[in-house]
Amino acid sequence: MKIGIIGSGFIGGTLVRRLTALGHEVRFSNSRDPETLAELASETGATAVWAADAAQDADLVILSIPQKNVPDLAAGIAGARKPGAPIIETNNYYPQQRDGLIEDIEGGTPESVWVSQQLGEPVIKAFNGIWYKHLLEKGVPAGADKRIALPIAGDDAESKKLVFSVIDELGFDPVDAGSLAESWRQQPGTPVYGKDFGVDDTVKALAEASAERSAEWKA
């Protein structure tokens, strides 16, 4: 596939490495000049581009940037992707630690719903709760013992199907976490966040989640 990645931090950069190693054609960006990504481009064979060009003709787009920076993205930044191509967003809202107050999220809007509203595009929430080193190193074949499960939330069945296949290819078990409106079940502070559960424990943790944000995850 052609995959565009907007954001080259811990998760975005890890996905550049993993997806190119699997043979996908990856274009990736950060918020600066593509020349600042020359080392990662050389390491992986992926193509560093300006953020506005990352989604060009992509079969899949991945957005992985600090939550506070989402409103600063160029309008229509994912619009050049192929028709119907899913947009995965990996973001988390860290009000005390990084992002400051985002009023709509504090008021109860799920983080990924807010991202979707800012983009004006549907999104799929995935990869937000796994440590980047485990994403890099702990993918194993289907059926392997202790395979980590990753929850995926979103509204479009076909988009989810493609995202499920990518997560399986990366070496993790995809778990349907429901609609985008239910994506709060995998936000920071929930029972599944930051855990390396298998499928059964992931399903259980999602069911046990509360929509109430804990004090650590409020502004």
Side-chain angles (χ1 to χ4, degrees):
M1 290 191 298
K2 293 182 178 179
I3 299 175
I5 300 179
I6 301 168
S8 301
F10 289 130
I11 294 294
T14 297
L15 287 169
V16 171
R17 291 179 170 91
R18 291 295 323 276
L19 292 166
T20 52
L22 290 169
H24 297 291
E25 181 183 329
V26 176
R27 294 160 62 90
F28 71 107
S29 67
N30 58 16
S31 60
R32 295 169 291 156
D33 191 300
E35 291 183 2
T36 63
L37 297 169
E39 185 175 342
L40 184 56
S42 177
E43 173 194 336
T44 62
T47 303
V49 297
W50 291 100
D53 299 323
Q56 182 68 43
D57 200 34
D59 300 290
L60 174 68
V61 176
I62 300 170
L63 176 67
S64 189
I65 66 173
Q67 197 79 304
K68 65 181 180 179
N69 294 344
V70 172
D72 298 330
L73 291 169
I77 193 165
R81 72 193 190 282
K82 289 179 181 175
I87 302 170
I88 296 175
E89 77 96 9
T90 78
N91 302 358
N92 291 304
Y93 172 50
Y94 298 133
Q96 298 177 38
Q97 299 84 355
R98 182 190 63 197
D99 296 316
L101 171 67
I102 298 177
E103 291 187 2
D104 287 347
I105 296 177
E106 289 284 338
T109 300
E111 296 169 17
S112 292
V113 171
W114 181 83
V115 172
S116 180
Q117 291 170 348
Q118 303 306 304
L119 292 179
E121 300 273 10
V123 301
I124 303 289
K125 188 177 191 73
F127 300 116
N128 74 295
I130 184 170
W131 190 34
Y132 78 99
K133 286 191 177 180
H134 291 181
L135 179 60
L136 181 66
E137 300 168 355
K138 292 204 171 186
V140 295
D145 188 39
K146 296 183 179 179
R147 200 182 201 215
I148 297 170
L150 299 182
I152 301 99
D155 297 330
D156 183 78
E158 286 302 310
S159 292
K160 273 186 172 178
K161 184 177 178 181
L162 188 146
V163 174
F164 279 28
S165 71
V166 170
I167 285 174
D168 179 59
E169 185 183 16
L170 287 165
F172 303 93
D173 282 328
V175 172
D176 194 331
S179 68
L180 200 66
E182 294 179 280
S183 61
W184 55 265
R185 294 182 181 276
Q186 65 195 81
Q187 291 177 175
T190 59
V192 79
Y193 177 78
K195 304 298 192 299
D196 288 339
F197 291 148
V199 171
D200 291 345
D201 285 339
T202 294
V203 171
K204 182 173 182 286
L206 290 166
E208 291 174 348
S210 169
E212 177 66 25
R213 303 186 74 87
S214 61
E216 181 181 2
W217 305 107
K218 290 181 179 179

